[in-house]
Amino acid sequence: MNTFGRLFRLTTFGESHGPALGSVIDGCPAGVTLEAATIQRALDRRRPGQSAVTTARSEGDRVEILSGVFEGKTLGTPIAAIVRNENQRSGDYEALRTQDRPGHADRVWRERFQHRDHRGGGRTSGRETLCRVIGGAVAEAFLARDLPQVRSVAWVERVGGLVAPPPPMTLDREMVDAHPTRCPHPETAARMEQEILEAKAQGDSLGGVIALRVTGLPVGLGEPVFGKLKARLADAFAGIGAVAGVYWGPPDLLDALVRRGSTFHGQAQVYGGIQGGLSNGEPLEARVLFKPPATLGNHARQGRHDPCILPRAVPVLEAMTSLVLADLWLQHEAFRHLPG
Amino acid sequence: MNTFGRLFRLTTFGESHGPALGSVIDGCPAGVTLEAATIQRALDRRRPGQSAVTTARSEGDRVEILSGVFEGKTLGTPIAAIVRNENQRSGDYEALRTQDRPGHADRVWRERFQHRDHRGGGRTSGRETLCRVIGGAVAEAFLARDLPQVRSVAWVERVGGLVAPPPPMTLDREMVDAHPTRCPHPETAARMEQEILEAKAQGDSLGGVIALRVTGLPVGLGEPVFGKLKARLADAFAGIGAVAGVYWGPPDLLDALVRRGSTFHGQAQVYGGIQGGLSNGEPLEARVLFKPPATLGNHARQGRHDPCILPRAVPVLEAMTSLVLADLWLQHEAFRHLPG
Amino acid sequence: MNTFGRLFRLTTFGESHGPALGSVIDGCPAGVTLEAATIQRALDRRRPGQSAVTTARSEGDRVEILSGVFEGKTLGTPIAAIVRNENQRSGDYEALRTQDRPGHADRVWRERFQHRDHRGGGRTSGRETLCRVIGGAVAEAFLARDLPQVRSVAWVERVGGLVAPPPPMTLDREMVDAHPTRCPHPETAARMEQEILEAKAQGDSLGGVIALRVTGLPVGLGEPVFGKLKARLADAFAGIGAVAGVYWGPPDLLDALVRRGSTFHGQAQVYGGIQGGLSNGEPLEARVLFKPPATLGNHARQGRHDPCILPRAVPVLEAMTSLVLADLWLQHEAFRHLPG
Amino acid sequence: MNTFGRLFRLTTFGESHGPALGSVIDGCPAGVTLEAATIQRALDRRRPGQSAVTTARSEGDRVEILSGVFEGKTLGTPIAAIVRNENQRSGDYEALRTQDRPGHADRVWRERFQHRDHRGGGRTSGRETLCRVIGGAVAEAFLARDLPQVRSVAWVERVGGLVAPPPPMTLDREMVDAHPTRCPHPETAARMEQEILEAKAQGDSLGGVIALRVTGLPVGLGEPVFGKLKARLADAFAGIGAVAGVYWGPPDLLDALVRRGSTFHGQAQVYGGIQGGLSNGEPLEARVLFKPPATLGNHARQGRHDPCILPRAVPVLEAMTSLVLADLWLQHEAFRHLPG
């Protein structure tokens, strides 16, 4: 339902136009250094209104930690953190009370739940990903202590027809954040920005591909049959609203499938990182396909939605990755012990 | 770990070269018509050795139901069914005791579990999917009673560079099974078969794409945030060994991403079937990318592995789909009730 | 960990001296009438300081609903509700920073979690039960809609050596709340009150027995093997700090065990309510044994703890009962459907 | 449903008169020494027909391991083990097809599941506990490797009105098994045997109390709020059919509740073993109340049921204890790791 993970678990709550959104992280070990400021920094990376290429909504999004942290360290108890919805402007949405937005899940949600908050999508709003970022920030604080060599970095590889070349293995989040599109290839980034602004001016929208690379993984994360590392990540990524697909392998995987196994596997191993469902210690790369957002034209302007959500989705994918890794690491630890 | 699902749950066990493989299906309601023959038919579709394009191993794979069924109907208790490993030929694998197979998970598994069955991959063997097919057969028996209008059909859409055109909406499993490649487009199927036989002769292997279509779904299956229908399916499919990716949308999704939202969404809706994480009652299509199998050359001949596993993976994808749908339908029922 | 239930799920968080305590209830169907005032009333019944027989701490305990409710009805999304810790008086506890309280879990907790909030027990404080009462109030709102005939009522049956006679089948919560000891037999209640005040004056404490009766249950709640109704309730009750035992049957069960089956079962059926793990539609009675609280003498006066927690535990047991019933009812609904 | 535990998990299946009963143990680490003979010995302790005081049914109960073990060690994969029902004698039960047995759950089960196996109770039969004993044997093999100092021993403390005095701390299973009643106090045991034989001759039945002692526990097993060690054990024990209650503390807990906290806690600590939900390293004692079995008179003779199931329930309680401890130990390990 609204809980993600088995041992390191994120439970999220909150409607986009209710009093608050929040997260409860249960299963984070005690003694992990964590401050509200750490979570706040993660939220700021997801926040809209940072540049012209994302939505103009100015969301304050100040996080407050309610439990689980004492004197700057986690207590081993559930960590609850909330963000108040300060800028609700319900009036903007009053027209939607009796009307389903085209391309949205309004009708489906109404048939399932009968009763619904018509203001901005409720739980189906992209604002829900804020809770994932809170969870991811806690997961990263834990990983930073227990698996300090793990690094995950996502970047915008493609917007519409524009594709950036593969970045160097030294890529880090700072390099990604240097451009508002979060494409680390400056030339492509500039063209992407122009493309997004044009789409925005026309009330149109753009999809694309975010790539994700994880390095420094220990060997053996994941389960051999149903909880394969790639399955856990696929679940994590496909659970984000606009995601239309996930794949492992080279950027042009569909084209690469032409090749036979004898030539394919050299390359696959480079991009692989997963064997038999488990991490093999090599870098892992995934690619996540995003549909163009459905909100168009007048609705887009009225609700101030993004013409291209990929830049803001980058920290969300990283957060989901950290949640999966933290959970699998705890699982790994549970079973690691050997006869004394 | 080795359990899939929340309410309709499949637990699998068995190594490819141990005494038996089996499944326990817990959460199947009472009164569902089920015979061993129903499960056997599903297993026969997955069985290798049916034609020259798949592995030559002759697996008997006779299923035995141990519990949960009485006088041809389910009891509402756990259904356990097993298949003995009759044709173990351990001798063939003796050389592998001290040696990790290239491209396989042997090394990773050894680091994780220390102790391992060197004969044929244990739980990472493709033979493990037999247990999923047992579970899927029970799920389909349940769906056939409670959601009789639901139809799921998968087909081989692409092998290497060969791509079949979209099949008609009337496509059914019989049409798919008519050709050993399970490609329902006869001309493409014939070329695929030739391609596979060539690869086989050269000790090589081929990947491709299986497409899956589900029709007749009720509105509202899935959960809005973490258990989205597409996330559950992505998890289900990515949990199959050779799967390299999953996407929703047109066959050429990567190319389609060039288009802007204003032109994209008409088509997306046709292929969609999912909105806000929930089924919307329209047909749903997914595409699953398969890497070429890793077993090559001498090893392939010795262990008698498939040059192209796609034809045999078709019933496995259908089984995973039915398991997801059965589980989500029970969840849907739990929350459906209205004030009396 | 900190989640209770499978479908109707309560996740709790908060330390007794942190910023806030709270609950997330996930799995409550949409459309259930729920106001903050409903939860507040339930909290007020648990609140200390209502009479001389309970602790003198004046806890404001104002609940705030953060999500899941819109225009007075549940949305089907997670319901989060918090209570701020306004009256922390940390100074009172500063002496405990380096010192484990005798009879408390301080030492055990420290060995397990290393890092701990020394102020008042953190998560092991009785204040944690506040979160259970929030969850129970939501569960009751749901049951009031879907199983309106279900009534659960708990009462203080025994304090120290004082035992009240069985109350009439018409017993309701109002009758229980009429006396501050929550014993519905006025004469025994008066003696209990005196006993408690004496113990309090001497810095001593008292245990006893709370009885619980549930009527109006539908047939078939529970699972036949591992989730038996009685096992779910035993888990729910034994999860409360001071509980030392749980039993089903007559008040003097230990004495009744002298009897043989031929004479025992007439009576057992009357008190029973459960057969084969499932509710049988008859009234169910359970009895819960409470140890005398461990905080004694000076510590008791300093931390203002209860000499006898039974009166305040009555609504906590009712809350846990409602959570179990709501969860089992959803499970029952999931599997109820018959062939159409 | 039919799975017990979170990380070390037992899934059971099988009806008392179907083809087989069995268990799947998922989450047992790799490398644990395990043979079918180990499980067989545990089953033999539970087997009826060992003496005149238990049922005369001669159940062969030969266990077969189907998976998860290779060359005498666990593989880290699911361990499946089954026992065929060889001695079904369905004819004996044919009269029960259309008739509910008094005192049994037949009617309740029928209303819940509609379809039912009338032969001997199906899953509600005491024979189901065989699956728990299989699971417990695997759990003990794991504990023997990882927590070799842990010892759990249960014994029959009371049958009807006969109560044995507390045994010495040196009590072990061999001493318990020395007498067919499994009461380690020879004089009381002899009187219990006579009492049981009398009840049997009269077609009557007897209940009583089994005590359980666990020593050598590490500090910190259990969860502070919902998964308290005592709650997990209460759930485990109350899930056994004939159990009517569970308590922690001295044999005469109900009488002891007369005492005030100031005098109670010295003794409670001795019997305690649990503080704040977690094990504190001291010996833990629990007492489990059993109702007299419901099968009486002619039915008892026809179905050959036990007049007193306590002797046979001793290994079942030990098995459930080991399952809980194995699960909590894995959980403990998952969260134990400290910053490097």
Side-chain angles (χ1 to χ4, degrees):
Chain A
M1 345 263 257
N2 294 280
T3 296
F4 185 83
R6 173 191 297 275
L7 291 176
F8 194 102
R9 286 186 322 213
L10 169 66
T11 298
T12 71
F13 59 85
E15 287 75 48
S16 59
H17 292 70
L21 289 95
S23 298
V24 181
I25 297 96
D26 195 7
C28 181
V32 172
T33 303
L34 186 70
E35 310 270 2
T38 315
I39 301 177
Q40 189 63 53
R41 272 194 300 276
L43 286 177
D44 289 346
R45 289 187 71 217
R46 193 209 72 99
R47 199 159 50 86
Q50 297 170 300
S51 78
V53 300
T54 56
T55 171
R57 290 203 341 186
S58 162
E59 303 178 9
D61 290 356
R62 305 309 305 172
V63 74
E64 181 192 8
I65 295 179
L66 296 182
S67 70
V69 179
F70 181 59
E71 301 181 341
K73 299 212 167 187
T74 58
L75 284 165
T77 57
I79 299 158
I82 60 169
V83 169
R84 299 265 169 192
N85 288 319
E86 291 165 359
N87 182 21
Q88 302 186 20
R89 294 205 210 171
S90 293
D92 292 9
Y93 293 91
E94 193 57 29
L96 300 171
R97 180 185 281 272
T98 54
Q99 179 189 344
D100 295 338
R101 293 166 299 171
H104 278 83
D106 296 352
R107 177 183 65 87
V108 172
W109 187 277
R110 195 164 28 78
E111 291 200 24
R112 167 76 176 272
F113 293 100
Q114 281 85 39
H115 184 58
R116 124 186 137 76
D117 181 347
H118 58 278
R119 301 164 303 165
R123 291 285 282 168
T124 63
S125 158
R127 188 155 165 74
E128 166 266 323
T129 58
L130 179 158
C131 304
R132 304 178 186 233
V133 171
I134 293 175
V138 177
E140 293 205 359
F142 165 54
L143 293 172
R145 188 192 71 170
D146 281 46
L147 290 176
Q149 73 284 17
V150 170
R151 292 279 178 280
S152 68
V153 57
W155 68 94
V156 175
E157 183 172 81
R158 174 175 168 170
V159 167
L162 301 167
V163 184
M169 285 303 291
T170 54
L171 185 74
D172 61 25
R173 292 184 187 174
E174 206 169 299
M175 292 159 69
V176 170
D177 285 354
H179 194 277
T181 57
R182 289 208 165 101
C183 170
H185 188 256
E187 192 183 334
T188 315
R191 291 168 57 208
M192 285 177 177
E193 183 166 11
Q194 193 170 352
E195 184 88 1
I196 295 170
L197 292 175
E198 271 177 34
K200 191 181 182 183
Q202 296 161 19
D204 213 330
S205 65
L206 288 162
V209 175
I210 294 180
L212 173 93
R213 185 188 286 157
V214 187
T215 56
L217 282 177
V219 174
L221 287 198
E223 291 295 318
V225 177
F226 289 125
K228 287 188 169 74
L229 175 52
K230 65 177 177 165
R232 292 293 305 271
L233 289 173
D235 172 39
F237 299 155
I240 297 169
V243 169
V246 181
Y247 66 92
W248 285 263
D252 58 340
L253 176 65
L254 277 175
D255 296 338
L257 289 182
V258 175
R259 290 203 298 280
R260 292 189 172 183
S262 52
T263 63
F264 187 89
H265 281 277
Q267 186 160 11
Q269 226 119 8
V270 172
Y271 288 94
I274 302 177
Q275 274 177 309
L278 311 176
S279 61
N280 63 8
E282 293 172 29
L284 176 161
E285 275 195 18
R287 280 170 172 82
V288 185
L289 314 180
F290 285 79
K291 289 189 303 190
T295 300
L296 302 172
N298 289 334
H299 277 298
R301 276 190 284 274
Q302 201 174 339
R304 285 145 299 136
H305 295 281
D306 281 341
C308 177
I309 65 160
L310 278 83
R312 291 181 61 201
V314 160
V316 179
L317 287 184
E318 291 167 348
M320 294 311 295
T321 302
S322 296
L323 285 164
V324 167
L325 296 179
D327 193 31
L328 292 177
W329 177 242
L330 287 181
Q331 232 166 295
H332 183 271
E333 287 297 283
F335 295 101
R336 184 184 54 167
H337 46 286
L338 298 172
Chain B
M1 344 263 257
N2 294 280
T3 297
F4 185 83
R6 173 191 297 274
L7 291 176
F8 194 103
R9 286 187 321 213
L10 169 66
T11 299
T12 72
F13 58 85
E15 288 73 49
S16 59
H17 292 72
L21 288 95
S23 297
V24 181
I25 297 95
D26 195 6
C28 181
V32 171
T33 302
L34 185 71
E35 310 270 3
T38 315
I39 301 177
Q40 190 62 54
R41 271 193 300 276
L43 287 176
D44 290 347
R45 289 187 72 217
R46 193 209 72 99
R47 198 161 50 85
Q50 296 170 302
S51 79
V53 299
T54 56
T55 170
R57 290 204 340 187
S58 161
E59 303 178 9
D61 290 355
R62 306 308 304 172
V63 73
E64 181 191 9
I65 295 179
L66 296 182
S67 70
V69 179
F70 181 58
E71 301 182 342
K73 298 212 166 188
T74 58
L75 285 165
T77 58
I79 299 158
I82 61 170
V83 169
R84 298 267 170 191
N85 288 320
E86 292 165 357
N87 182 21
Q88 302 187 18
R89 295 207 209 168
S90 294
D92 292 9
Y93 295 90
E94 194 56 29
L96 301 172
R97 180 185 281 270
T98 53
Q99 179 188 346
D100 295 338
R101 293 165 299 170
H104 278 83
D106 296 352
R107 177 183 64 87
V108 173
W109 186 277
R110 193 162 31 77
E111 291 199 24
R112 166 77 176 271
F113 294 100
Q114 281 85 39
H115 184 58
R116 127 185 134 76
D117 182 348
H118 58 278
R119 300 163 304 165
R123 292 284 282 167
T124 63
S125 158
R127 188 156 166 73
E128 166 266 323
T129 58
L130 179 157
C131 304
R132 304 177 187 234
V133 171
I134 292 175
V138 177
E140 292 205 358
F142 164 54
L143 292 172
R145 188 192 72 170
D146 281 46
L147 289 176
Q149 74 284 16
V150 170
R151 292 278 178 281
S152 68
V153 56
W155 68 94
V156 174
E157 183 172 82
R158 174 174 168 171
V159 167
L162 301 167
V163 184
M169 285 303 291
T170 54
L171 185 74
D172 61 24
R173 292 183 186 175
E174 206 169 298
M175 292 159 69
V176 170
D177 285 355
H179 195 277
T181 57
R182 288 209 165 99
C183 171
H185 188 256
E187 192 182 333
T188 315
R191 291 166 57 206
M192 285 177 177
E193 182 166 11
Q194 194 168 350
E195 184 87 2
I196 295 170
L197 293 175
E198 271 178 34
K200 189 182 182 182
Q202 297 161 19
D204 213 331
S205 65
L206 289 161
V209 176
I210 295 181
L212 173 92
R213 184 188 286 157
V214 187
T215 56
L217 282 177
V219 174
L221 286 198
E223 292 295 317
V225 178
F226 289 124
K228 286 187 170 74
L229 175 51
K230 65 177 178 166
R232 292 293 304 271
L233 289 172
D235 172 39
F237 299 155
I240 297 168
V243 169
V246 181
Y247 66 93
W248 285 264
D252 58 340
L253 177 65
L254 277 174
D255 296 338
L257 289 182
V258 175
R259 289 203 298 280
R260 292 188 173 183
S262 52
T263 63
F264 187 89
H265 282 277
Q267 186 160 10
Q269 225 119 9
V270 172
Y271 287 96
I274 302 177
Q275 274 177 310
L278 311 175
S279 61
N280 62 9
E282 293 171 29
L284 176 160
E285 276 196 17
R287 283 174 168 80
V288 185
L289 313 180
F290 285 79
K291 289 190 302 189
T295 300
L296 301 174
N298 289 334
H299 277 299
R301 277 191 283 274
Q302 201 173 339
R304 287 143 299 136
H305 295 280
D306 281 341
C308 176
I309 65 160
L310 277 82
R312 291 181 62 203
V314 160
V316 179
L317 288 185
E318 291 166 349
M320 293 311 295
T321 303
S322 296
L323 285 163
V324 167
L325 297 178
D327 193 31
L328 291 178
W329 177 242
L330 287 181
Q331 232 166 296
H332 183 271
E333 287 296 282
F335 294 100
R336 184 185 52 167
H337 46 288
L338 298 172
Chain C
M1 344 262 257
N2 293 281
T3 296
F4 185 83
R6 174 191 296 274
L7 290 177
F8 193 102
R9 285 186 322 212
L10 169 66
T11 298
T12 72
F13 59 84
E15 288 73 50
S16 59
H17 293 71
L21 289 95
S23 297
V24 181
I25 297 97
D26 195 7
C28 181
V32 171
T33 302
L34 186 71
E35 310 271 2
T38 315
I39 301 177
Q40 190 63 54
R41 270 193 301 276
L43 287 177
D44 290 345
R45 288 187 72 217
R46 193 209 71 99
R47 197 160 51 85
Q50 296 170 301
S51 78
V53 300
T54 56
T55 172
R57 290 203 342 187
S58 161
E59 303 179 8
D61 288 357
R62 306 307 306 172
V63 73
E64 182 192 8
I65 295 178
L66 296 181
S67 70
V69 179
F70 180 58
E71 301 181 342
K73 299 211 167 188
T74 58
L75 284 164
T77 58
I79 299 158
I82 60 169
V83 169
R84 299 265 170 192
N85 288 320
E86 291 165 359
N87 182 20
Q88 302 187 18
R89 294 206 210 169
S90 293
D92 292 8
Y93 295 90
E94 192 57 28
L96 301 171
R97 180 185 281 270
T98 54
Q99 179 189 345
D100 294 339
R101 293 166 299 170
H104 278 84
D106 296 352
R107 177 183 64 89
V108 173
W109 186 278
R110 194 164 29 78
E111 291 199 25
R112 167 75 176 272
F113 292 100
Q114 282 85 38
H115 184 58
R116 127 186 134 76
D117 182 347
H118 59 278
R119 301 164 305 165
R123 291 286 282 168
T124 63
S125 158
R127 189 156 165 74
E128 166 266 322
T129 58
L130 179 158
C131 304
R132 303 178 186 232
V133 170
I134 293 174
V138 177
E140 292 205 1
F142 164 53
L143 292 172
R145 188 193 70 171
D146 281 47
L147 289 176
Q149 73 283 16
V150 170
R151 292 280 178 279
S152 69
V153 56
W155 68 94
V156 174
E157 183 172 81
R158 174 174 168 169
V159 168
L162 302 167
V163 184
M169 286 303 291
T170 53
L171 186 73
D172 61 24
R173 291 184 187 175
E174 207 169 298
M175 291 159 69
V176 170
D177 286 355
H179 193 278
T181 57
R182 288 205 166 104
C183 171
H185 188 256
E187 193 183 334
T188 314
R191 292 167 58 205
M192 285 177 176
E193 185 166 10
Q194 194 169 350
E195 183 88 2
I196 295 170
L197 292 175
E198 271 177 33
K200 191 181 181 182
Q202 297 161 17
D204 213 331
S205 65
L206 289 161
V209 175
I210 294 180
L212 173 93
R213 186 188 285 156
V214 187
T215 56
L217 283 177
V219 174
L221 287 199
E223 291 296 317
V225 178
F226 288 125
K228 287 188 169 75
L229 175 51
K230 65 178 177 166
R232 293 292 305 272
L233 289 173
D235 171 39
F237 298 155
I240 297 170
V243 169
V246 181
Y247 66 93
W248 284 263
D252 58 341
L253 177 66
L254 277 175
D255 297 338
L257 288 181
V258 176
R259 288 202 299 279
R260 291 188 172 183
S262 53
T263 63
F264 186 89
H265 281 278
Q267 186 160 11
Q269 226 119 8
V270 172
Y271 287 95
I274 303 176
Q275 274 177 309
L278 312 175
S279 62
N280 62 9
E282 294 171 29
L284 176 162
E285 275 195 16
R287 280 169 171 82
V288 184
L289 313 180
F290 284 80
K291 288 189 303 189
T295 299
L296 302 174
N298 289 335
H299 276 300
R301 276 189 284 274
Q302 201 175 339
R304 286 144 300 137
H305 294 281
D306 281 341
C308 177
I309 66 160
L310 277 83
R312 292 179 61 201
V314 160
V316 179
L317 288 184
E318 291 167 349
M320 294 310 296
T321 303
S322 296
L323 285 163
V324 167
L325 296 178
D327 193 31
L328 291 178
W329 177 242
L330 288 181
Q331 233 165 295
H332 182 271
E333 287 297 282
F335 293 101
R336 185 184 54 168
H337 47 285
L338 299 172
Chain D
M1 345 264 259
N2 294 279
T3 296
F4 185 83
R6 174 191 296 275
L7 291 177
F8 193 102
R9 285 187 321 214
L10 169 66
T11 298
T12 72
F13 58 85
E15 288 73 49
S16 59
H17 291 72
L21 289 95
S23 298
V24 181
I25 297 95
D26 195 7
C28 181
V32 171
T33 302
L34 186 71
E35 310 271 2
T38 316
I39 301 177
Q40 190 62 54
R41 270 193 301 276
L43 286 176
D44 290 346
R45 288 187 72 217
R46 193 210 70 100
R47 197 160 50 84
Q50 295 170 301
S51 79
V53 300
T54 57
T55 172
R57 291 200 347 183
S58 161
E59 302 179 8
D61 290 356
R62 307 307 306 171
V63 73
E64 181 191 9
I65 295 179
L66 296 182
S67 70
V69 179
F70 180 59
E71 301 181 341
K73 299 213 166 186
T74 58
L75 285 164
T77 58
I79 299 158
I82 61 169
V83 169
R84 299 266 170 192
N85 288 319
E86 291 166 358
N87 182 20
Q88 302 186 18
R89 294 208 210 167
S90 293
D92 292 7
Y93 295 89
E94 193 58 29
L96 300 172
R97 180 184 281 272
T98 54
Q99 179 190 345
D100 294 339
R101 293 166 300 168
H104 277 84
D106 295 353
R107 177 182 65 88
V108 173
W109 187 276
R110 192 163 31 77
E111 290 198 26
R112 165 76 177 271
F113 294 100
Q114 282 86 37
H115 184 58
R116 128 185 133 74
D117 182 348
H118 58 278
R119 302 164 304 165
R123 291 285 281 167
T124 64
S125 158
R127 188 157 166 73
E128 165 267 323
T129 58
L130 178 158
C131 304
R132 303 178 187 232
V133 171
I134 293 174
V138 178
E140 292 205 359
F142 164 53
L143 292 173
R145 188 193 70 170
D146 281 46
L147 289 176
Q149 73 283 18
V150 170
R151 292 278 178 279
S152 68
V153 56
W155 68 94
V156 175
E157 183 173 81
R158 174 174 168 170
V159 167
L162 301 167
V163 184
M169 286 302 292
T170 54
L171 185 75
D172 61 24
R173 291 184 187 175
E174 206 169 298
M175 292 159 69
V176 171
D177 285 354
H179 194 278
T181 57
R182 288 208 165 101
C183 171
H185 187 256
E187 192 183 334
T188 314
R191 291 167 59 206
M192 285 177 178
E193 183 166 11
Q194 193 169 350
E195 183 87 2
I196 295 170
L197 292 176
E198 271 178 34
K200 190 181 182 182
Q202 297 161 18
D204 212 331
S205 65
L206 288 162
V209 176
I210 294 180
L212 173 93
R213 185 188 286 157
V214 187
T215 56
L217 283 177
V219 174
L221 287 198
E223 292 295 317
V225 178
F226 289 125
K228 287 188 169 74
L229 175 50
K230 64 177 177 165
R232 292 293 304 271
L233 289 173
D235 172 39
F237 299 155
I240 297 169
V243 170
V246 181
Y247 66 93
W248 285 263
D252 57 341
L253 177 66
L254 276 175
D255 296 338
L257 288 182
V258 176
R259 288 202 298 280
R260 292 188 172 182
S262 51
T263 63
F264 187 89
H265 281 278
Q267 187 160 10
Q269 225 119 9
V270 172
Y271 287 95
I274 303 177
Q275 275 176 308
L278 312 175
S279 62
N280 62 9
E282 293 171 29
L284 176 161
E285 276 196 17
R287 282 173 169 81
V288 185
L289 313 179
F290 284 79
K291 288 190 303 189
T295 299
L296 302 174
N298 289 335
H299 276 300
R301 278 189 284 274
Q302 201 174 337
R304 286 143 300 137
H305 294 282
D306 281 341
C308 177
I309 65 161
L310 277 82
R312 292 180 61 203
V314 160
V316 179
L317 288 185
E318 290 167 348
M320 294 311 295
T321 302
S322 296
L323 286 163
V324 168
L325 296 179
D327 193 30
L328 292 178
W329 177 242
L330 288 181
Q331 233 166 294
H332 183 272
E333 287 296 282
F335 294 101
R336 185 184 54 168
H337 46 288
L338 298 172

